[in-house]
Amino acid sequence: MKDVVVIGSGPAGFAAALYTARAGLSTTVVTGAQLGGQVALTWEIDNYLGFHGDVSGAELIDQLVAHVTKFGAELLYDEVVEADLSGPPHRVRTASGDLEARAVIVATGASARRLGVPGEEELIGRGVSYCATCDGAFFRDRDVLVVGGGDSALEEAIFLTRFARSVQVVHRRDQLRAGPNLQARARRNERIGFVWNTVVEEIGGRDKVDRVRTRQVDTGAEEERGTDGVFVFIGHIPNSTLFQGRLDMDAAGYLTVDERMRTNVPGVFAAGEIMDPVWRQVATSVGQGSAAGMAAVHYLDETSG
């Protein structure tokens, strides 16, 4: 029996674990398949307060691990395959066995929707990115592509013009899905161009991205284009499948919480991108995780015999 089980090992999960472990609660973090979540794939971190040097996402995660384990949190390098939240105690089943907990904090995050083309996975963190706010500054005076045509794609394209020499928006249709105000802003920006009716078929480069192969959907014509980076914004998928029918969520699958990070199930809290479709930053996830951890501490204080 654990006091707290945290599901997920991104910034939100580690922040929650820090607060529960420091409060003297036995805390286990089930890391999932990717220790650190999406941030572990980020080139460098320079938009998280206090980390303004050359700190990679992986290095940041190493520091978070050291911090939470210092206060006694246990890391279980495993994946959750089932969650019975009908307790307390709540039961979390992993590939290697079962855990019981008086409180559970869900911090499973969201996954950027991938293009699914050759070269994409191999070049993540080496020119392929899913977060302009995270990585845009590393493309100063470079030429980049943005794939997508919705609000997120145009917002990130506009943001990238702070750094990049040129931003080409590649969209599979001949009309954007973004709102009219965003479209107008993007069209007015002299650094932004548009490549219509086109999809990316392959991302190339030896040690970093230096080209893509594109195909026109109407003619089938293929073209190789030089580029220094590919930013993909075709949506995010909250990692909430485990909790369908167990926790309340919105139509897109993001868990719904109140102002104290509480889900609809007593003793179950959520933080980070699993409940945040808007900000998706290390700093906001840490804040949400800290709040969830404190809320779990208060809950256990109030319900302990």
Side-chain angles (χ1 to χ4, degrees):
M1 172 70 71
K2 298 291 182 180
D3 292 320
V4 180
V5 167
V6 179
I7 307 176
S9 62
F14 279 127
L18 175 64
Y19 275 83
T20 59
R22 284 184 75 246
L25 300 175
S26 59
T27 301
T28 295
V29 179
V30 185
T31 65
Q34 174 66 62
L35 177 67
Q38 292 186 77
V39 73
L41 304 176
T42 301
W43 281 34
E44 295 179 39
I45 304 293
D46 66 358
N47 62 344
Y48 181 43
L49 191 64
F51 291 83
H52 53 84
D54 295 331
V55 180
S56 70
E59 289 168 337
L60 176 63
I61 293 303
D62 287 342
Q63 295 191 43
L64 300 186
V65 168
H67 200 167
V68 300
T69 54
K70 169 186 175 182
F71 288 101
E74 171 194 30
L75 267 62
L76 179 60
Y77 294 90
D78 206 340
E79 292 188 70
V80 174
V81 296
E82 187 178 348
D84 178 0
L85 305 177
S86 58
H90 303 294
R91 292 176 174 83
V92 175
R93 174 163 293 173
T94 72
S96 59
D98 292 353
L99 297 170
E100 290 190 341
R102 297 165 61 207
V104 171
I105 299 173
V106 180
T108 48
S111 300
R113 207 179 289 274
R114 302 298 219 281
L115 291 172
V117 301
E120 180 180 21
E121 294 292 328
E122 296 85 348
L123 291 167
I124 290 175
R126 291 186 288 161
V128 173
S129 175
Y130 305 89
C131 180
T133 311
C134 306
D135 296 328
F138 305 116
F139 292 85
R140 192 176 299 277
D141 298 323
R142 305 286 184 87
D143 301 309
V144 301
L145 298 180
V146 166
V147 183
D151 285 351
S152 292
L154 288 200
E155 287 170 354
E156 303 289 352
I158 292 168
F159 179 84
L160 282 166
T161 62
R162 296 168 182 247
F163 312 102
R165 178 171 52 214
S166 71
V167 179
Q168 295 294 311
V169 178
V170 179
H171 187 43
R172 65 183 303 118
R173 300 179 178 85
D174 60 1
Q175 294 183 24
L176 298 166
R177 293 179 289 106
N181 290 337
L182 269 176
Q183 290 196 40
R185 287 178 59 200
R187 292 177 191 276
R188 287 196 303 265
N189 194 309
E190 61 183 15
R191 294 193 183 189
I192 295 179
F194 296 91
V195 183
W196 304 108
N197 297 311
T198 298
V199 295
V200 172
E201 292 283 283
E202 184 177 3
I203 302 173
R206 183 181 297 273
D207 299 317
K208 60 181 180 179
V209 170
D210 60 25
R211 66 190 183 277
V212 297
R213 179 168 55 86
T214 61
R215 175 178 58 84
Q216 287 187 292
V217 296
D218 48 355
T219 67
E222 295 191 351
E223 181 179 350
E224 190 168 280
R225 301 171 181 269
T227 188
D228 298 303
V230 179
F231 287 80
V232 181
F233 301 108
I234 54 175
H236 279 76
I237 305 169
N239 300 321
S240 58
T241 303
L242 278 173
F243 310 106
Q244 288 179 355
R246 294 175 170 84
L247 297 176
D248 287 348
M249 56 186 71
D250 66 17
Y254 290 92
L255 300 188
T256 55
V257 298
D258 65 11
E259 69 281 357
R260 296 197 177 189
M261 316 309 288
R262 296 176 293 200
T263 69
N264 60 299
V265 175
V268 180
F269 307 83
E273 293 187 35
I274 188 62
M275 46 68 63
D276 174 17
V278 179
W279 304 115
R280 300 198 295 266
Q281 297 296 301
V282 172
T284 52
S285 290
V286 165
Q288 293 155 357
S290 300
M294 287 187 282
V297 172
H298 293 157
Y299 167 80
L300 293 177
D301 285 346
E302 293 167 357
T303 57
S304 60

